[in-house]
Structures are given as structure tokens and as C-alpha cells.
Amino acid sequence: MDFKLVRQMSGTLWSAVVMELFERLAYYGMVMVLGIYIVDRLGVPADTFGVVYGVFTATLYFLPVLAGALADRFGYKPALVVAFGTLAGGYFLLGFSTDFRVICAALGLIAVGGSIIKPTISGTVTRTTEEGSTRPVGFGLYYMMINAGGLIGPVVAAQVRNRSEFHYVFWVSAAACALMLVQALVAFREPVPASERASGKTLGDIFREILMVLANWRFVSLLVIFSGFWGMINVLFGFMPLYLENFTDLRAAEASIDRIVPLTRVAGQWLNPEVLISLDALLIVLLQAPISYLTRRWPTLRAMLVGTTIATFSWIFPAMSPAAAVVAFGIFVWSIGEMICSARFFQYCGTAAPPDQVALYLGYSFFAIFIGNLYSGPWAGWLYERFIRLPHEAGLPIHPWPFFSGVMAMGVFSIVGLALYGRFINPDQTESGAEG
């Protein structure tokens, strides 16, 4: 990264990326323990949790289309004020009550607030940087903060719930968003001129765009096909911490690590399920650049196919054994697959779009995550309830293979779909990764 360009970044951009850090910290600190809290602590059936979790995470990737249009029309500063106010209220409410209906309402507030953040922060980065100069650095900072939040949030959540009551995890998230609400009011400067706000898109324009994109059946087919990959990611965050909490001896693993690196002297108990899952974010921070470089000459569709295949079959390892070392190796394999294919999916969506509509199609590429999240939550919830939770509560042997096979089925759907897509729907695709 060019540090001269970093110093050229405006105060508004720095304010925005710090907001992104704290919002992601709050979100990942919450979502990694949500299943443990709702299923284990409150006794809600896993299939019921799966439906709520699927709708919640899907909403986070559907509403940004509408929220982005409203932010462009009424201003980014008021949008951020509304977003962080809603998020702080949602997280506070989540920790305040054990009533499942109240929890669902709290998750609704968090979904609305989070959906406003996504397009507003990325839009701020775009508007406060210059194409071909500071923009790549600005988005580099933006994605760095996303991954930093994914790393820090679960670690903070683990420390909080190990040392206090569970609801303080959600109140820490509320405090992080309340702090960013103050920053949005005091430090953030509106990047959208009033003249542009007056001519922004209406909701009618947005719905017409949606219909236009949905009319492109090749693009929609790609979104549906790749939704299986995003569905697996949703299960990784939503159900793997719950599985590890019940069936992995993390204290023994922590003791083994402590013999080499005495972390417990400083942190106390630290290896919670959410910390182990955050190994994925750590590996992405460390390895995404070299993985992208090594696969840069691969045709994009091939990279998507190879990465999805590796990610899918990484689930064999936790299915074989819940031992922490085996699970960690599975996460390592998963991360390699994710780093190969996830970014290339968005690259492919850009090349699949009509030349004059690339930005539009990239915006709607997130519908693949919406679709995957929507069905993966109920599907994984039913599998977990039927083959793991009910037998475990009855004192019977659990059946992890049907659960993990069901997760892998989503990946197999994407693998087969990508192969057929490249063979029959878009057989002339020869575009290669960026060279350099």
C-alpha cells in the first residue's frame, strides 16, 4: 500500500472506514454467538432459530439496494445517523430480553441498520477518492477494516462472555454502535452535494432496475447457482460455533497451545468457538493477496469452480472429528477455497454484465448472498435439530454426517451448476484473471 496516498485520504473517508470497523466488530461479535445464545441458553429449537437466522442474514443483503438509493437521495450523514441509532437500539434490545419475539424484533432492527451501513460506507469511499489514484487505496482500507472487525469482534465477544453474563456481549456491540452514532453526528462530513441528492434515484427507479436485471436469465442463473457457496458461509457463522460449543473440547486445545504460547496468562480463557471460527478471517488477512496473485492467470469461471470445490469438501474434516485441530484444519482448507473463488465471483459478475451496466450488475450480484442466506438457515436448522440437537438431548449418539453432508450439498449444487453454466450457458467465456 502506498502510504503517500494513505496520507491523502480525506477526514470523511477515515471517519467512514472507522465506522465500518466498529460496525463489523459489533456484528461479528454478535452473530458468532447468536446460535449458542438462542439454542443452548434460551432453549429455542434449532430449526426455529434457522428460519429466523436465514431471514435475518438474507435481509442484510436485500435491503441495501433500497437503502443505498435513499442515502443518495437524502444524504449519507442522516443515513449513518439512522443506521447507527437503529443498530445501537437493536443490540441493546437483544441483550435486554430473553423473550424470543423481542429477540426477533431486535434482529429486525439490526438488519435494517446494517443494510443502511453497507451501501453508505462503500459509497462514501467512492465519493471521497479518485479513480485511478486514491480509490484502490481507499477500498483497500475499507476491506481491511471489514476483516479487522471480523477478527476483533469474536475475540472481544469471547472475553466478555467468559468474564460476565452473556447479554453483555450484545451490549458491547450496542456501545460500539452508539460510539459511532456520536462520530456520525460530530465528525462525519456529508460527501453528497445537495444538487446531486435532489436528482437521486427514486424507489420506482430501483424497482425498474431490479426487473431489468432479473430479465437477464444468464445472470440470474449465475446468482442462483453460486448461492450454494454463500449458503455454506452462512452455516459456518451461524451453526458451527453452536456445534463446537457442545462437541469440541476447546479447553484441552487451549492447554496444548498454552504450552507453546502462554496466552492464558494474559487473556485467561480465550479459545471459544467464535475465536476458532475467526481463524477464517485471520487467514484471509494474511493470505488473500498471495492467493489472488498465484491464481491471477486462471480463467475466472475455473477459479470459481476450483475454489468452490475446495471449500465444499473442507466440511469433511469437522464431519470426521470434532477435535479442535481437525476442525481448524478444515477451516484452513475452507479459507483457501474461499480466497480463490469469492472475489472472483464479483469479478465474473462484472464481466458478465453489459458494458454500460457493469456497476449496476455488480450492485445486484449481492442477491446471490441473499438467496443463499435465505434457504441455508432453515435447511441447516432442520438438519441440526434432527440429527444433532434432538439425539444429544435424548442422550443418544449424534449423527454429524447427515448434517455436514447437507451443508456440502449446497456446495455440490454450486459445483455442478458452475460446470454446467460454463459448458452450456456461457461456453465462450475466455476471460482471465487480471495479470500483473
Side-chain angles (χ1 to χ4, degrees), residues 20-63:
E20 182 68 21
L21 169 65
F22 276 78
E23 189 274 328
R24 291 288 83 188
L25 181 156
Y27 175 77
Y28 282 109
M30 176 276 295
V31 78
M32 292 275 201
V33 300
L34 187 64
I36 298 171
Y37 179 64
I38 291 179
V39 177
D40 278 359
R41 303 299 172 90
L42 303 185
V44 175
D47 50 357
T48 302
F49 165 68
V51 172
V52 172
Y53 177 70
V55 172
F56 164 62
T57 54
T59 302
L60 282 166
Y61 287 93
F62 177 77
L63 289 183

Side-chain angles (χ1 to χ4, degrees), residues 119-153:
T120 307
I121 298 297
S122 61
T124 299
V125 175
T126 300
R127 289 178 176 274
T128 56
T129 55
E130 296 181 7
E131 179 67 40
S133 176
T134 56
R135 187 157 301 162
V137 179
F139 273 98
L141 290 170
Y142 170 64
Y143 288 116
M144 184 188 301
M145 293 302 183
I146 291 175
N147 286 293
L151 276 173
I152 298 170

Side-chain angles (χ1 to χ4, degrees), residues 155 159 162-163 250-251 253-272 275 282:
V155 174
Q159 289 296 308
N162 287 343
R163 299 168 186 267
L250 293 174
R251 301 289 74 79
E254 187 179 81
S256 298
I257 295 171
D258 202 49
R259 285 194 286 270
I260 302 171
V261 183
L263 295 175
T264 54
R265 294 181 185 177
V266 178
Q269 180 182 330
W270 61 273
L271 187 56
N272 284 26
V275 174
L282 176 62

Side-chain angles (χ1 to χ4, degrees), residues 27-28 31-36 49 53 57 154 228-245 273-284 311 314-315 318 327-336 338 372-373 376-377 380 384 403-404 407-408 410:
Y27 175 77
Y28 282 109
V31 78
M32 292 275 201
V33 300
L34 187 64
I36 298 171
F49 165 68
Y53 177 70
T57 54
F229 171 78
W230 299 117
M232 290 191 294
I233 289 186
N234 206 36
V235 176
L236 179 68
F237 293 152
F239 285 89
M240 273 304 289
L242 178 62
Y243 181 76
L244 296 177
E245 178 85 354
E274 57 268 33
V275 174
L276 183 56
I277 298 298
S278 69
L279 175 64
D280 177 49
L282 176 62
L283 290 169
I284 290 173
S314 71
W315 291 88
V327 173
F329 185 75
I331 293 173
F332 171 78
V333 176
W334 162 271
S335 300
I336 297 298
E338 180 183 355
N373 287 357
S376 64
Y384 194 92
F403 171 73
F404 288 106
V407 176
M408 286 189 286
M410 293 187 288

